[in-house]
Each structure stands twice: as C-alpha cells, then as structure tokens.
Amino acid sequence: MIGFQMMLTVYGACAAAGIALMIPQDATTSATTSATNPVVASVIPYIASSSDGAQYVVIRFKLEPQWHIYWSNAGDSGSSPTVKLSMPTGWTIGQAEFPRPQILGNTQERNYGYENSMDLMIPVVAPVGDVPASISVSAKVDWFVCKQACLMGSATLTTQLTTEPKKPLVQLNPRVYPSKLPPSIRASLEGTPTSGILVLTGPTKSFDAQPVRFVPDPTAGVQFSDGTGPFLAVQSGNTVTARIPFTIHLEDAVDGPPRIRGLLLTGERETDPAYRIDMAAPDVPARAK
Amino acid sequence: MRMTHSFLAATIAASTAFLFAAAPVGDEAKGHKHDTATIGHAAPTFTLTGADGKTYNLADYKGKTVVLEWFCSSCPASGSGANSYWGSGNASKTVAGMKAADADAVYLAIDSTKDGHSGMTTADEGKASTEVIAKGGQSVPVLMDTSGKVGREYGAKTTPHIFIVDGTGNVVYIGAPMSDDGKTSYIVDAVTALKAGKPVNPSKTKNSGCGVKYATPRPEKAAA
C-alpha cells in the first residue's frame, strides 16, 4: 500500500541504441534511477487547486535529458501522451490540459512537446456533499518519448490522493498553462464554409512578449496550410496580426464537427503567456452530419 | 504555473469583424504547390528494390488499389515491440482485411530509414524489416528507399504513415492506418469503399509515430 505522502513512481520504457522495449509497470514497481529509463510517470499525491477553485489530478512526467514527450498536437511526428483516469463514484473527470509546449526540431521537421518535465493537469469535480480527506485513484498512462530513436512507455498508477487541505501544484518546470484570450486580442474567422482564414489580432502592447506565433491543434476535418505550423504573426504599426489559412473537409471530420483550435504563443519562454483558441468552423453546426 | 488563469478552454464567437490583412512571413510562410502526394492527384511514381532483391514499380499495379505503408523496424509505433503496429498484430489483421475486401489490392511497406540509423546498415534494416513483417504471417514486400527520395516525394513523415493509391493512380487516402482506439481500420474501410466504387471517407487522418529517419533534410518549400 502506498502511503499518502509518498509520490507513487514508476518507470517506463527501456532504451538501448535503436532497440525499443516497452515495459508496462504497475504501482508496486520500486523507484530506481537508470539512464535506460527516460521517463518517470507519477501521480502528484494530492488534488491540486487553482486560485479560482478548480481542482486537478496531476500526472507528472520526468524525462532524462534530451528526451521529449509531446503536446496534444505532436507536429510532424510523435504522439501525445494519454491518461485513462479512474476515480471514486461521484467524481467527474474533464479533458486533460497541457502546458504551453516547446517548439522542437527545426524549420523542416517541427514538433511540439516537452523536455525535462511536464505536469498534465486533469480537471476533476468532487461530488456534492462531504468528500473524504483522501481518495483512491488509478491512472493508465501511455506515452511516446523520443530522442534520436523513440520509445513507448506505459504505466498503471494507483495511489491515494489527499483532498484536504487544498494546495496549489508545485511544478518542477514553471510552465504556463494556456488561458482564454484577453479582451484586447481578437480572434475571428473569415472565408467560406469550405475554406477560410483564422485572424488573430491586437495592439502590440497587448502581447507580453515577442514573437507571437500560432500553433495549430485542429480537430479532424480542419487542415491549416502546412498544418504543422507554427505561424508567425506580423507587426504592422501598433498592431500584431496572424492570418492562418485553413480548409474544411467535412468528410474527414471523424471526431464530430470540425473546430479551429490551437494556441497563441507569446515570446519564447515556457513562462510567457499562451492563449487558447477554440472556434467552431464556419457554418458547421448547420451542415454537420 | 499561472494558477490565476482559468484553465477552462476559451471558446470564441466566430462573428467578430475582419479588420486586418497582414500575411505570414519567414520560414512559416506557406507555399501552395503540391510538392508532396496530395489527395485526388496522381501519386508520385517510383521504382524501388525490395529487401527480397526484386524490383517494384508502382506503374506495374495500374488498375489495382495499392496501400503504401512507411515502415521502420526499430520504431515502437511501427515495427518494434509488442505494441507496435506490426508487433500487435494490427497490421496483419489489416492486410487480411484488405485482401478480404479486395483480393487484388496490393500492400507494400516502404522503408526510408537512412543507412546507419541505430547502427544498422541498409541490409540490416531490410533483413530486420522482413523478419518483423514475416512474423505477422503476411506476405508484404519491404521496399528499400534508403536515399529517402520516394518518402520525400510522398511527404511521408512518420512510421507508420499510410498512402493509398487507387486503380487510376491517384492518391485517395493519407494518414494513420487505424483510429486511435483501434476500432476502425481506415485502410480496410478505404479499400472496401474503392472496391464498391465509392469515395474514400475519411480521406485524410492524423498520423503519428516515429519521425522518418531520412538521410537528408527536407528540401525548402517553394515560396507562395
């Protein structure tokens, strides 16, 4: 049995020059450090709370130097980590929230992901009424990690999480989590039902840092021009604007009505603000199957 | 982390005015030429030598549906390990499903891995690839594209990455072999549709996996 204050730690895939071995781990695996284990996945042993009262179960990934895992849109290659979280009856589980990704690779082969460490935030809502001071959770975690070669990793994490007292997450890396656009920055769509342009614009002073880039994370059925991005915004006078052409392919929208999604990144640092864009494709509700 | 921000995703109304007209610039400006395989357009032709020593020419399969899978024996998403596309048995089931849908359909694996990747020569890679696929019980040739020329022409980015060419030689599908949950084989669905004379839906899906380990960098794109 894992104690409340003990971070449950498991080790994932083993790597040896070009040979990929996937070793699923379970909660009883002892914690050891080895250069052949590039990823350590764990559950932060408490429900993390934000200042606005939102609560999260946090999956922490620690990586060996030079290895990286991926954002929800991996880019030209790679694959995003996945978590299947199980909680006691009454708790509701939201969609995992990724921190601002790093832009990896070069101008020809682009990826979005994370080096060193990353905390994946899974929003949860407690049931109405009294909640135990600790609850049992389990998480099936899968990841894809690359350096020169790539490895898969998998872990089943089971532990007790404290729900009280409430405390904020202490990150290993001070990555910012995307927030909603401030009122001074405007997002709009122009074009036809089958193609258009995402326009992101605002006064230069609205952007805390430069450059300003849009990185796409569209649903199926949306294709940005050269979908990998990133797309660089242009400063003209006192205004910064990014215009990103896209096309809509309803026949490919296997996950539901297509949505124009992505992040507006300001600056280069992982602590610089990032804003989430999530818009319904033009006229899609009326035309969606 | 900025805990002061709401973590809720921002949904933005699409009715805002359209006021500005700047363009993307620099290496992020995008060209519009079809410099790689494109849905509805002719598939790039190729002649490659298989790991079996035979010559494979795409033109020889005119009139048949051809499934091209970019493959790498050391990639855990493609050919290495029990959870890979081939190691899991998913690829073998796909090939069997494809043959059941259309006995004349052709499945070819293309290996654009550079010579020396992971310490393996092209000959090593060809042998390893053939062994991985043979374990699946299917007869699928592995075509060696060590220079990466064919992979670049198609725009293959990952292993696996699937391109389906119809009997007229046009590209009709680009993307992943199957859905993330493994319940839908896009390949079998496409071959079934083509056999029935129907359009392929979806024609494009998000691929994932290891980046293809090309021998040379991708050439710069033409300016818009």
Side-chain angles (χ1 to χ4, degrees):
Chain A
M1 188 67 175
I2 305 297
F4 291 173
Q5 301 305 316
M6 178 179 175
M7 180 183 293
L8 175 63
T9 306
V10 295
Y11 288 84
C14 294
I19 300 173
L21 303 173
M22 198 192 84
I23 303 178
Q25 304 288 335
D26 61 33
T28 59
T29 302
S30 61
T32 56
T33 299
S34 166
T36 59
N37 293 300
V39 175
V40 179
S42 60
V43 181
I44 300 300
Y46 55 87
I47 299 286
S49 297
S50 64
S51 60
D52 62 5
Q55 295 186 306
Y56 300 88
V57 171
V58 182
I59 308 297
R60 173 162 290 170
F61 298 88
K62 292 177 65 178
L63 286 76
E64 294 289 339
Q66 300 177 25
W67 290 85
H68 59 266
I69 56 175
Y70 294 91
W71 182 47
S72 50
N73 175 14
D76 282 332
S77 60
S79 187
S80 178
T82 61
V83 177
K84 292 180 181 176
L85 185 63
S86 297
M87 297 186 72
T89 302
W91 286 80
T92 57
I93 302 167
Q95 189 168 0
E97 297 176 8
F98 290 75
R100 172 189 170 124
Q102 300 168 230
I103 299 174
L104 305 169
N106 52 46
T107 58
Q108 301 303 305
E109 308 286 349
R110 190 72 83 183
N111 289 111
Y112 303 113
Y114 310 92
E115 296 173 319
N116 303 317
S117 71
M118 187 273 272
D119 291 330
L120 191 62
M121 308 276 286
I122 303 172
V124 296
V125 177
V128 176
D130 293 337
V131 174
S134 72
I135 58 173
S136 177
V137 302
S138 68
K140 174 68 165 56
V141 186
D142 293 281
W143 64 86
F144 196 79
V145 59
C146 295
K147 189 169 66 172
Q148 295 300 319
C150 299
L151 303 166
M152 283 183 177
S154 178
T156 299
L157 312 170
T158 302
T159 192
Q160 294 289 122
L161 302 188
T162 57
T163 61
E164 295 289 348
K166 297 186 186 309
K167 53 183 175 180
L169 174 68
V170 177
Q171 293 189 96
L172 294 179
N173 266 24
R175 301 184 189 279
V176 73
Y177 283 74
S179 60
K180 61 191 299 184
L181 274 179
S184 57
I185 303 175
R186 185 160 42 197
S188 59
L189 299 175
E190 58 185 47
T192 71
T194 57
S195 66
I197 298 176
L198 168 65
V199 183
L200 303 166
T201 187
T204 304
K205 63 182 180 183
S206 298
F207 298 93
D208 299 86
Q210 301 283 344
V212 177
R213 292 185 174 95
F214 175 76
V215 294
D217 186 20
T219 61
V222 178
Q223 187 174 353
F224 286 104
S225 62
D226 191 0
T228 306
F231 300 89
L232 185 65
V234 176
Q235 181 171 350
S236 177
N238 295 323
T239 302
V240 171
T241 302
R243 295 175 58 87
I244 306 103
F246 63 85
T247 53
I248 300 294
H249 307 268
L250 278 184
E251 68 279 11
D252 296 337
V254 293
D255 299 326
R259 298 189 68 82
I260 312 299
R261 294 193 317 196
L263 297 181
L264 189 65
L265 305 182
T266 68
E268 304 274 11
R269 297 172 301 179
E270 56 202 19
T271 53
D272 288 330
Y275 304 110
R276 187 178 302 283
I277 309 298
D278 185 358
M279 308 171 76
D283 293 341
V284 162
R287 298 181 299 118
K289 297 173 183 176
Chain B
M1 181 176 61
R2 287 193 165 188
M3 298 299 286
T4 55
H5 287 299
S6 166
F7 289 111
L8 297 176
T11 301
I12 302 161
S15 57
T16 318
F18 318 130
L19 296 176
F20 299 96
V25 296
D27 63 76
E28 291 148 8
K30 306 303 175 187
H32 298 288
K33 290 183 179 179
H34 294 154
D35 50 3
T36 58
T38 304
I39 301 292
H41 292 259
T45 57
F46 62 77
T47 301
L48 290 170
T49 301
D52 56 8
K54 298 178 182 177
T55 299
Y56 294 86
N57 188 335
L58 181 64
D60 292 342
Y61 301 108
K62 189 171 184 180
K64 297 181 179 181
T65 296
V66 180
V67 177
L68 304 175
E69 177 207 333
W70 259 261
F71 175 90
C72 176
S73 69
S74 61
C75 169
S78 175
S80 175
N83 280 11
S84 68
Y85 179 50
W86 278 94
S88 66
N90 284 330
S92 297
K93 291 176 187 172
T94 297
V95 176
M98 179 200 76
K99 285 291 185 184
D102 180 355
D104 292 329
V106 176
Y107 198 108
L108 303 173
I110 299 181
D111 194 330
S112 297
T113 307
K114 64 185 176 184
D115 185 39
H117 174 62
S118 296
M120 296 173 73
T121 65
T122 297
D124 293 337
E125 175 66 14
K127 183 180 178 185
S129 298
T130 301
E131 289 175 354
V132 167
I133 290 175
K135 282 182 182 175
Q138 298 290 341
S139 177
V140 172
V142 182
L143 284 53
M144 304 309 292
D145 176 41
T146 309
S147 72
K149 179 176 182 293
V150 176
R152 292 295 190 194
E153 288 177 351
Y154 273 77
K157 293 183 175 179
T158 57
T159 55
H161 199 172
I162 304 298
F163 297 75
I164 301 180
V165 182
D166 70 10
T168 69
N170 283 342
V171 178
V172 292
Y173 175 81
I174 301 175
M178 57 181 48
S179 59
D180 289 342
D181 61 12
K183 294 179 180 176
T184 302
S185 170
Y186 297 130
I187 294 174
V188 174
D189 284 359
V191 173
T192 301
L194 291 170
K195 183 67 175 177
K198 297 178 179 177
V200 173
N201 285 332
S203 60
K204 193 156 190 171
T205 61
K206 173 70 175 169
N207 54 296
S208 62
C210 310
V212 177
K213 302 301 183 289
Y214 283 112
T216 57
R218 187 167 63 182
E220 293 287 343
K221 290 189 174 183

PDB file of all heavy atoms in Angstrom, chain A residues 15 17 26 35 65 69 81 89 91 103 127 130 139 155 166 211 259-260 266 269 273 277-278:
ATOM      1  N   ALA A  15      15.506   1.883 -23.129  1.00  0.00           N
ATOM      2  CA  ALA A  15      16.060   2.169 -24.442  1.00  0.00           C
ATOM      3  C   ALA A  15      17.470   1.650 -24.549  1.00  0.00           C
ATOM      4  O   ALA A  15      18.242   1.759 -23.631  1.00  0.00           O
ATOM      5  CB  ALA A  15      16.073   3.666 -24.683  1.00  0.00           C
ATOM      6  N   ALA A  17      20.340   1.749 -27.787  1.00  0.00           N
ATOM      7  CA  ALA A  17      20.575   2.221 -29.152  1.00  0.00           C
ATOM      8  C   ALA A  17      19.705   1.564 -30.209  1.00  0.00           C
ATOM      9  O   ALA A  17      20.036   0.540 -30.775  1.00  0.00           O
ATOM     10  CB  ALA A  17      22.030   1.992 -29.491  1.00  0.00           C
ATOM     11  N   ASP A  26       3.605  -1.433 -12.969  1.00  0.00           N
ATOM     12  CA  ASP A  26       2.444  -1.293 -12.114  1.00  0.00           C
ATOM     13  C   ASP A  26       2.838  -0.547 -10.846  1.00  0.00           C
ATOM     14  O   ASP A  26       3.983  -0.150 -10.651  1.00  0.00           O
ATOM     15  CB  ASP A  26       1.827  -2.658 -11.785  1.00  0.00           C
ATOM     16  CG  ASP A  26       2.800  -3.556 -11.043  1.00  0.00           C
ATOM     17  OD1 ASP A  26       3.623  -3.046 -10.249  1.00  0.00           O
ATOM     18  OD2 ASP A  26       2.725  -4.765 -11.272  1.00  0.00           O
ATOM     19  N   ALA A  35      19.735   5.279 -16.425  1.00  0.00           N
ATOM     20  CA  ALA A  35      19.859   6.006 -17.689  1.00  0.00           C
ATOM     21  C   ALA A  35      19.072   5.335 -18.800  1.00  0.00           C
ATOM     22  O   ALA A  35      18.826   5.933 -19.841  1.00  0.00           O
ATOM     23  CB  ALA A  35      21.329   6.111 -18.084  1.00  0.00           C
ATOM     24  N   PRO A  65      17.582  13.838 -19.715  1.00  0.00           N
ATOM     25  CA  PRO A  65      17.996  14.919 -20.617  1.00  0.00           C
ATOM     26  C   PRO A  65      17.946  14.510 -22.085  1.00  0.00           C
ATOM     27  O   PRO A  65      18.275  13.372 -22.438  1.00  0.00           O
ATOM     28  CB  PRO A  65      19.443  15.196 -20.184  1.00  0.00           C
ATOM     29  CG  PRO A  65      19.498  14.762 -18.748  1.00  0.00           C
ATOM     30  CD  PRO A  65      18.573  13.579 -18.667  1.00  0.00           C
ATOM     31  N   ILE A  69       8.660  14.357 -24.726  1.00  0.00           N
ATOM     32  CA  ILE A  69       7.331  13.835 -24.999  1.00  0.00           C
ATOM     33  C   ILE A  69       6.554  14.937 -25.710  1.00  0.00           C
ATOM     34  O   ILE A  69       7.099  16.014 -25.951  1.00  0.00           O
ATOM     35  CB  ILE A  69       6.614  13.367 -23.712  1.00  0.00           C
ATOM     36  CG1 ILE A  69       6.545  14.493 -22.683  1.00  0.00           C
ATOM     37  CG2 ILE A  69       7.296  12.132 -23.151  1.00  0.00           C
ATOM     38  CD1 ILE A  69       5.745  14.126 -21.435  1.00  0.00           C
ATOM     39  N   PRO A  81       0.841  11.960 -25.094  1.00  0.00           N
ATOM     40  CA  PRO A  81       0.563  11.002 -24.010  1.00  0.00           C
ATOM     41  C   PRO A  81      -0.941  10.926 -23.731  1.00  0.00           C
ATOM     42  O   PRO A  81      -1.669  11.891 -23.952  1.00  0.00           O
ATOM     43  CB  PRO A  81       1.325  11.590 -22.811  1.00  0.00           C
ATOM     44  CG  PRO A  81       1.495  13.037 -23.123  1.00  0.00           C
ATOM     45  CD  PRO A  81       1.564  13.140 -24.612  1.00  0.00           C
ATOM     46  N   THR A  89     -16.750   6.891  -7.268  1.00  0.00           N
ATOM     47  CA  THR A  89     -18.068   7.284  -7.775  1.00  0.00           C
ATOM     48  C   THR A  89     -18.403   8.711  -7.346  1.00  0.00           C
ATOM     49  O   THR A  89     -18.161   9.105  -6.203  1.00  0.00           O
ATOM     50  CB  THR A  89     -19.133   6.319  -7.234  1.00  0.00           C
ATOM     51  OG1 THR A  89     -18.788   4.995  -7.635  1.00  0.00           O
ATOM     52  CG2 THR A  89     -20.511   6.681  -7.773  1.00  0.00           C
ATOM     53  N   TRP A  91     -17.164  11.533  -8.649  1.00  0.00           N
ATOM     54  CA  TRP A  91     -16.206  12.493  -9.193  1.00  0.00           C
ATOM     55  C   TRP A  91     -16.376  12.538 -10.712  1.00  0.00           C
ATOM     56  O   TRP A  91     -16.569  11.515 -11.358  1.00  0.00           O
ATOM     57  CB  TRP A  91     -14.776  12.082  -8.856  1.00  0.00           C
ATOM     58  CG  TRP A  91     -14.407  12.313  -7.431  1.00  0.00           C
ATOM     59  CD1 TRP A  91     -14.729  11.506  -6.368  1.00  0.00           C
ATOM     60  CD2 TRP A  91     -13.650  13.399  -6.898  1.00  0.00           C
ATOM     61  NE1 TRP A  91     -14.219  12.036  -5.203  1.00  0.00           N
ATOM     62  CE2 TRP A  91     -13.549  13.202  -5.500  1.00  0.00           C
ATOM     63  CE3 TRP A  91     -13.045  14.524  -7.461  1.00  0.00           C
ATOM     64  CZ2 TRP A  91     -12.872  14.090  -4.673  1.00  0.00           C
ATOM     65  CZ3 TRP A  91     -12.368  15.408  -6.641  1.00  0.00           C
ATOM     66  CH2 TRP A  91     -12.290  15.184  -5.259  1.00  0.00           C
ATOM     67  N   ILE A 103       8.607  24.495 -28.846  1.00  0.00           N
ATOM     68  CA  ILE A 103       8.718  24.236 -30.287  1.00  0.00           C
ATOM     69  C   ILE A 103      10.026  23.510 -30.505  1.00  0.00           C
ATOM     70  O   ILE A 103      11.105  24.059 -30.246  1.00  0.00           O
ATOM     71  CB  ILE A 103       8.647  25.539 -31.093  1.00  0.00           C
ATOM     72  CG1 ILE A 103       7.297  26.230 -30.839  1.00  0.00           C
ATOM     73  CG2 ILE A 103       8.832  25.266 -32.583  1.00  0.00           C
ATOM     74  CD1 ILE A 103       7.182  27.605 -31.481  1.00  0.00           C
ATOM     75  N   PRO A 127     -17.830  15.241  -5.911  1.00  0.00           N
ATOM     76  CA  PRO A 127     -19.278  15.098  -5.763  1.00  0.00           C
ATOM     77  C   PRO A 127     -19.814  16.073  -4.708  1.00  0.00           C
ATOM     78  O   PRO A 127     -19.063  16.547  -3.850  1.00  0.00           O
ATOM     79  CB  PRO A 127     -19.444  13.642  -5.323  1.00  0.00           C
ATOM     80  CG  PRO A 127     -18.140  13.272  -4.723  1.00  0.00           C
ATOM     81  CD  PRO A 127     -17.096  14.061  -5.450  1.00  0.00           C
ATOM     82  N   ASP A 130     -20.036  15.808   1.522  1.00  0.00           N
ATOM     83  CA  ASP A 130     -18.745  15.583   2.160  1.00  0.00           C
ATOM     84  C   ASP A 130     -17.845  14.711   1.284  1.00  0.00           C
ATOM     85  O   ASP A 130     -18.289  13.719   0.708  1.00  0.00           O
ATOM     86  CB  ASP A 130     -18.939  14.900   3.516  1.00  0.00           C
ATOM     87  CG  ASP A 130     -19.635  15.823   4.513  1.00  0.00           C
ATOM     88  OD1 ASP A 130     -19.552  17.055   4.318  1.00  0.00           O
ATOM     89  OD2 ASP A 130     -20.260  15.309   5.450  1.00  0.00           O
ATOM     90  N   ALA A 139      -4.590   5.480 -12.640  1.00  0.00           N
ATOM     91  CA  ALA A 139      -4.398   6.123 -13.938  1.00  0.00           C
ATOM     92  C   ALA A 139      -3.576   5.201 -14.832  1.00  0.00           C
ATOM     93  O   ALA A 139      -2.482   4.775 -14.455  1.00  0.00           O
ATOM     94  CB  ALA A 139      -3.702   7.467 -13.775  1.00  0.00           C
ATOM     95  N   ALA A 155       2.294   2.898 -17.946  1.00  0.00           N
ATOM     96  CA  ALA A 155       2.306   2.664 -16.508  1.00  0.00           C
ATOM     97  C   ALA A 155       0.880   2.686 -15.988  1.00  0.00           C
ATOM     98  O   ALA A 155       0.051   3.452 -16.471  1.00  0.00           O
ATOM     99  CB  ALA A 155       3.131   3.728 -15.789  1.00  0.00           C
ATOM    100  N   LYS A 166      -6.492  22.050   0.797  1.00  0.00           N
ATOM    101  CA  LYS A 166      -6.265  22.393  -0.600  1.00  0.00           C
ATOM    102  C   LYS A 166      -4.911  23.081  -0.751  1.00  0.00           C
ATOM    103  O   LYS A 166      -4.541  23.915   0.067  1.00  0.00           O
ATOM    104  CB  LYS A 166      -7.380  23.315  -1.105  1.00  0.00           C
ATOM    105  CG  LYS A 166      -8.763  22.665  -1.087  1.00  0.00           C
ATOM    106  CD  LYS A 166      -9.792  23.565  -1.733  1.00  0.00           C
ATOM    107  CE  LYS A 166     -11.200  22.991  -1.588  1.00  0.00           C
ATOM    108  NZ  LYS A 166     -11.314  21.603  -2.000  1.00  0.00           N
ATOM    109  N   PRO A 211       8.476  36.850 -30.180  1.00  0.00           N
ATOM    110  CA  PRO A 211       7.486  36.931 -31.242  1.00  0.00           C
ATOM    111  C   PRO A 211       6.145  36.347 -30.816  1.00  0.00           C
ATOM    112  O   PRO A 211       6.054  35.717 -29.757  1.00  0.00           O
ATOM    113  CB  PRO A 211       8.124  36.097 -32.358  1.00  0.00           C
ATOM    114  CG  PRO A 211       8.900  35.056 -31.621  1.00  0.00           C
ATOM    115  CD  PRO A 211       9.445  35.768 -30.412  1.00  0.00           C
ATOM    116  N   ARG A 259     -13.385  21.863 -35.564  1.00  0.00           N
ATOM    117  CA  ARG A 259     -13.138  23.072 -34.789  1.00  0.00           C
ATOM    118  C   ARG A 259     -11.738  23.599 -35.101  1.00  0.00           C
ATOM    119  O   ARG A 259     -10.801  22.831 -35.334  1.00  0.00           O
ATOM    120  CB  ARG A 259     -13.270  22.810 -33.284  1.00  0.00           C
ATOM    121  CG  ARG A 259     -14.676  22.359 -32.879  1.00  0.00           C
ATOM    122  CD  ARG A 259     -14.836  22.333 -31.371  1.00  0.00           C
ATOM    123  NE  ARG A 259     -14.800  23.650 -30.767  1.00  0.00           N
ATOM    124  CZ  ARG A 259     -15.859  24.463 -30.712  1.00  0.00           C
ATOM    125  NH1 ARG A 259     -17.014  24.102 -31.223  1.00  0.00           N
ATOM    126  NH2 ARG A 259     -15.745  25.644 -30.139  1.00  0.00           N
ATOM    127  N   ILE A 260     -11.663  24.916 -35.103  1.00  0.00           N
ATOM    128  CA  ILE A 260     -10.385  25.600 -35.347  1.00  0.00           C
ATOM    129  C   ILE A 260      -9.734  25.782 -33.981  1.00  0.00           C
ATOM    130  O   ILE A 260     -10.181  26.593 -33.174  1.00  0.00           O
ATOM    131  CB  ILE A 260     -10.610  26.969 -36.004  1.00  0.00           C
ATOM    132  CG1 ILE A 260     -11.588  26.870 -37.185  1.00  0.00           C
ATOM    133  CG2 ILE A 260      -9.283  27.597 -36.421  1.00  0.00           C
ATOM    134  CD1 ILE A 260     -11.129  25.989 -38.291  1.00  0.00           C
ATOM    135  N   THR A 266       3.048  33.769 -26.995  1.00  0.00           N
ATOM    136  CA  THR A 266       3.822  34.999 -27.000  1.00  0.00           C
ATOM    137  C   THR A 266       5.202  34.669 -26.438  1.00  0.00           C
ATOM    138  O   THR A 266       5.331  33.901 -25.489  1.00  0.00           O
ATOM    139  CB  THR A 266       3.160  36.091 -26.144  1.00  0.00           C
ATOM    140  OG1 THR A 266       3.216  35.701 -24.764  1.00  0.00           O
ATOM    141  CG2 THR A 266       1.707  36.295 -26.547  1.00  0.00           C
ATOM    142  N   ARG A 269       9.779  31.902 -24.028  1.00  0.00           N
ATOM    143  CA  ARG A 269       9.993  31.171 -22.774  1.00  0.00           C
ATOM    144  C   ARG A 269       8.761  30.371 -22.390  1.00  0.00           C
ATOM    145  O   ARG A 269       7.638  30.745 -22.712  1.00  0.00           O
ATOM    146  CB  ARG A 269      10.349  32.149 -21.656  1.00  0.00           C
ATOM    147  CG  ARG A 269      11.646  32.901 -21.882  1.00  0.00           C
ATOM    148  CD  ARG A 269      11.818  33.979 -20.843  1.00  0.00           C
ATOM    149  NE  ARG A 269      10.716  34.938 -20.880  1.00  0.00           N
ATOM    150  CZ  ARG A 269      10.598  35.975 -20.081  1.00  0.00           C
ATOM    151  NH1 ARG A 269      11.509  36.184 -19.147  1.00  0.00           N
ATOM    152  NH2 ARG A 269       9.578  36.796 -20.184  1.00  0.00           N
ATOM    153  N   PRO A 273       3.136  34.135 -21.655  1.00  0.00           N
ATOM    154  CA  PRO A 273       1.712  33.807 -21.783  1.00  0.00           C
ATOM    155  C   PRO A 273       1.374  33.054 -23.069  1.00  0.00           C
ATOM    156  O   PRO A 273       1.971  33.278 -24.124  1.00  0.00           O
ATOM    157  CB  PRO A 273       1.036  35.180 -21.772  1.00  0.00           C
ATOM    158  CG  PRO A 273       1.986  36.060 -21.027  1.00  0.00           C
ATOM    159  CD  PRO A 273       3.343  35.563 -21.391  1.00  0.00           C
ATOM    160  N   ILE A 277      -7.129  29.020 -28.394  1.00  0.00           N
ATOM    161  CA  ILE A 277      -8.111  29.345 -29.431  1.00  0.00           C
ATOM    162  C   ILE A 277      -8.945  28.097 -29.689  1.00  0.00           C
ATOM    163  O   ILE A 277      -8.393  27.008 -29.887  1.00  0.00           O
ATOM    164  CB  ILE A 277      -7.410  29.757 -30.753  1.00  0.00           C
ATOM    165  CG1 ILE A 277      -6.353  30.838 -30.498  1.00  0.00           C
ATOM    166  CG2 ILE A 277      -8.435  30.193 -31.790  1.00  0.00           C
ATOM    167  CD1 ILE A 277      -6.901  32.121 -29.935  1.00  0.00           C
ATOM    168  N   ASP A 278     -10.253  28.233 -29.684  1.00  0.00           N
ATOM    169  CA  ASP A 278     -11.133  27.091 -29.936  1.00  0.00           C
ATOM    170  C   ASP A 278     -12.431  27.634 -30.513  1.00  0.00           C
ATOM    171  O   ASP A 278     -13.270  28.172 -29.795  1.00  0.00           O
ATOM    172  CB  ASP A 278     -11.397  26.330 -28.634  1.00  0.00           C
ATOM    173  CG  ASP A 278     -12.203  25.067 -28.861  1.00  0.00           C
ATOM    174  OD1 ASP A 278     -12.593  24.808 -30.027  1.00  0.00           O
ATOM    175  OD2 ASP A 278     -12.436  24.329 -27.894  1.00  0.00           O
TER     176      ASP A 278
END
